[in-house]
Amino acid sequence: MLSWGIAATGGIARTVGKVIAAEPGMRVAAVGSRDLGRASALAAELGAPRAYGSHAELVLDPDVDVVYVATPHSHHLPVAELAIAAGKAVLCEKPLALNAAEAERMVKLARDAGVFLMEAMWMRFNPLVQRLHRMIGEGALGTPRSVAASFGFPLPYDPSHRLWDPALGGGALLDLGIYPMGLAQLLLGEPDAMDVTGSLSADGVDAEAGLLLSWNGGARALLDTSLLSPLSNAATVTGTLMRAELEAPFYATRRMLLHGPSREPEEHLIAESDNGYAGEIREVRDALAEGRTESAIMPLDDSLAMARLLDRAREHVARSAAPPSDMAAEVR
């Protein structure tokens, strides 16, 4: 039985906690939060026997094998540090850390300690995304030339909301933009150049961004993310032989269409039961059973590369954005 400790009590902690509790051979052993009342409530909901009023107590629970870090981005590193020091495997919500420097420290700590660490990028575990990745590797789409993807929705401005709060790592890029950027990274690798435009909230948080990533061979990715606009949230991947369309939401898609010259569209579907967060927690289980400290599906080197890309993208937006006052009416 693989026993998990859940660090935090927000929406994603509850969602993934329920998946863990329902998975055969797994259980939630404890929930930890700075608010003991909230931890106790979620523990009761997930059938966990213990709740703690601090993350430090949670990671020291001898019955906890894996700590799932579901805190705001600003707390990923300190909670992961505690868990790694206690010798506990860590599944950390995306992005792995607030910035590249923190991600590098987290990875070094895990590697030095020989402790399992993985970023919880659930998109990589979607069966259709995995199928598309294999097809590209096998040359079924020909030479990949472009990725177009977006993820965005209008979120009313509230400086206390974590997505608008700079102290908590708010902004479109870290929470939403990581998905289209992550798809391009998975399918095309780390880009050779990046051009980014966007806008800032009154507090200096990136409210939206448009990215052009390019590779020396001529491939490119056109990506959009926004907390201001309802984007399509779909993705298209085009090669020299075929085009693949991932139906929205592309990061958790259930339908892929393949288009090629002189052929009818080819539909690929997965059931609802094949989608969701189960893939990532099963990867943790399998890795631990095999004695691995890193995931082959979501390697730490990819997480580090993404942290660097996100840093660069946010720097680009900060330099190129119109003065925050221009956006005040839109985000308030």
Side-chain angles (χ1 to χ4, degrees):
M1 178 70 69
L2 189 64
S3 296
W4 292 69
I6 308 292
T9 58
I12 191 65
R14 175 173 286 99
T15 297
V16 175
K18 288 180 178 179
V19 175
I20 292 169
E23 184 71 14
M26 297 190 194
R27 67 172 186 139
V28 179
V31 176
S33 169
R34 291 175 295 179
D35 185 325
L36 179 58
R38 289 171 61 91
S40 298
L42 183 57
E45 187 176 339
L46 299 177
R50 290 176 298 284
Y52 297 103
S54 73
H55 299 129
E57 292 175 283
L58 173 72
V59 304
L60 293 177
D61 186 323
D63 201 26
V64 168
D65 303 309
V66 188
V67 175
Y68 169 52
V69 181
T71 62
H73 314 326
S74 55
H75 292 78
H76 285 184
L77 175 60
V79 177
E81 280 185 313
L82 291 170
I84 292 167
K88 302 303 171 73
V90 176
L91 175 66
C92 184
E93 258 310 319
K94 55 82 194 161
L96 186 63
L98 192 59
N99 52 50
E102 290 192 0
E104 288 164 2
R105 174 167 173 75
M106 193 189 300
V107 170
K108 185 178 189 306
L109 288 170
R111 285 174 169 169
D112 287 350
V115 169
F116 179 87
L117 171 66
M118 188 181 86
E119 182 178 19
M121 173 50 78
W122 65 308
M123 176 184 70
R124 288 216 180 188
F125 299 88
N126 177 278
L128 291 179
V129 172
Q130 291 186 332
R131 185 177 304 174
L132 177 58
H133 186 217
R134 287 194 302 271
M135 292 176 66
I136 288 178
E138 295 163 357
L141 269 69
T143 303
R145 304 308 298 157
S146 69
V147 173
S150 68
F151 184 20
F153 50 79
L155 180 70
Y157 180 75
D158 176 359
S160 67
H161 192 291
R162 69 172 189 87
L163 288 180
W164 289 114
D165 186 347
L168 297 180
L173 280 163
L174 288 183
D175 255 273
L176 312 183
I178 191 173
Y179 286 108
M181 292 174 70
L183 183 68
Q185 177 197 39
L186 173 65
L187 301 181
L188 298 177
E190 192 167 356
D192 296 299
M194 171 190 290
D195 188 23
V196 186
T197 60
S199 63
L200 299 172
S201 73
D203 295 319
V205 165
D206 51 284
E208 59 186 350
L211 302 93
L212 171 60
L213 310 184
S214 56
W215 286 257
N216 289 340
R220 65 273 181 199
L222 297 169
L223 314 173
D224 279 294
T225 186
S226 179
L227 292 172
L228 303 176
S229 306
L231 303 183
S232 73
N233 301 338
T236 300
V237 180
T238 305
T240 53
L241 297 179
M242 201 178 301
R243 181 179 81 253
E245 296 176 353
L246 299 178
E247 191 173 80
F250 75 87
Y251 52 85
T253 191
R254 292 177 57 197
R255 182 173 184 259
M256 177 171 68
L257 284 177
L258 300 177
H259 302 267
S262 305
R263 57 177 286 173
E264 291 296 314
E266 180 179 311
E267 185 179 53
H268 294 255
L269 299 172
I270 59 171
E272 180 62 35
S273 58
D274 293 329
N275 206 349
Y277 297 93
E280 65 185 15
I281 64 172
R282 291 169 184 165
E283 171 69 359
V284 176
R285 175 199 63 200
D286 294 346
L288 294 179
E290 296 163 11
R292 291 186 282 121
T293 57
E294 298 190 24
S295 167
I297 300 173
M298 188 64 245
L300 290 177
D301 284 345
D302 282 9
S303 295
L304 291 173
M306 177 54 63
R308 292 190 291 267
L309 288 173
L310 287 165
D311 276 4
R312 289 169 56 193
R314 290 193 292 166
E315 289 168 4
H316 275 260
V317 173
R319 289 198 304 267
S320 68
S325 59
D326 291 354
M327 296 302 305
E330 293 289 337
V331 298
R332 287 189 172 175

